[in-house]
């Protein structure tokens, strides 16, 4: 079973861009700036784009929370690495 969100990048071609993949219905890929989730954001729908704006807002809010949590987790890992 896949997690609800996955984080991907292509640092060789798009070094300032991250992709957040929403694996549940409605599936989509959210392209965002490495420094700011809401900057230069594009959503690529793998399934049909939902008609309900509230559902889209919920997915985007959850994706932003996931993104921020992942960045915080990575910072914690790097901090631990340098403490050793």
């Amino acid at each position: 079973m896949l997690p609800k969100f996955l984080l991907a990048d292509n640092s060789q071609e798009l070094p300032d861009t991250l992709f957040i993949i929403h694996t549940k219905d409605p599936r989509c890929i959210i392209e965002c700036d490495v420094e700011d989730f809401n900057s230069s954001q594009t959503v690529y729908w793998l399934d049909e784009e939902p008609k309900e704006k509230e559902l889209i807002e919920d997915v985007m809010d959850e994706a932003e929370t996931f993104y921020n949590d992942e960045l915080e987790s990575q910072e914690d890992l790097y901090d631990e690495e340098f403490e050793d």
Side-chain angles (χ1 to χ4, degrees), residues 12-68:
Q12 293 177 0
E13 291 184 32
L14 299 166
D16 297 326
T17 304
L18 284 176
F19 299 91
I20 300 169
I21 303 158
H22 183 248
T23 64
K24 307 292 182 193
D25 189 43
R27 296 174 306 146
C28 64
I29 299 172
I30 303 162
E31 179 181 345
C32 62
D33 187 273
V34 170
E35 298 296 324
D36 181 12
F37 176 78
N38 294 305
S39 177
S40 304
Q41 192 179 75
T42 305
V43 179
Y44 302 95
W45 293 101
L46 303 175
D47 294 325
E48 189 172 322
E49 182 175 350
K51 304 275 189 263
E52 307 88 23
K53 297 298 179 193
E54 185 175 320
L55 178 57
I56 295 172
E57 290 173 8
D58 289 346
V59 168
M60 298 305 287
D61 288 344
E62 290 177 26
E64 183 175 16
T65 298
F66 166 79
Y67 173 79
N68 290 329

